Amino acid sequence: MKQVFICGNGGSAGNAVHIANDMIYGISKKFGSGLKITALPANGSVVTCLANDEGYENIFSYQLGVLGQKDDVLIVLSGSGNSQNIINVLKTAKEMR
């Protein structure tokens, strides 16, 4: 089964985490029937490590580069579409397809 990755900044990060929760459990309460989805802003330790070591603009692309595989799905949530970390993760996803 392919995976879904979802990300965003600020309120969109909160929405990404909430959507992932709903897709894992809320979509169906039957054991094992949820969607395989990862919210990239959910792990504060990973986000702050990458921001510190690789730059905030790479917090999502580095995670996708490790966790993602060809033909996975990426959903980005953004009010402006201009955040460099959103642009970079979209470039990473395109390179992986």
Side-chain angles (χ1 to χ4, degrees), residues 14-71:
N15 290 339
V17 172
H18 184 87
I19 290 167
N21 175 71
D22 287 348
M23 296 298 120
I24 289 170
Y25 177 70
I27 196 168
S28 173
K29 293 187 172 102
K30 181 180 174 201
F31 183 80
S33 65
L35 189 65
K36 192 182 236 186
I37 185 167
T38 299
L40 298 176
N43 187 328
S45 295
V46 170
V47 169
T48 58
C49 171
L50 290 172
N52 185 64
D53 293 356
E54 300 299 334
Y56 192 77
E57 67 276 10
N58 296 310
I59 61 170
F60 301 137
S61 56
Y62 267 70
Q63 291 182 73
L64 187 65
V66 171
L67 300 171
Q69 297 179 5
K70 185 180 183 328
D71 296 327

Side-chain angles (χ1 to χ4, degrees), residues 69-80:
Q69 297 179 5
K70 185 180 183 328
D71 296 327
D72 285 344
V73 174
L74 172 67
I75 300 169
V76 297
L77 307 175
S78 176
S80 70

Side-chain angles (χ1 to χ4, degrees), residues 9 56-57 60 78-89:
N9 295 301
Y56 192 77
E57 67 276 10
F60 301 137
S78 176
S80 70
N82 295 325
S83 299
Q84 195 60 51
N85 58 1
I86 296 297
I87 294 167
N88 287 354
V89 76

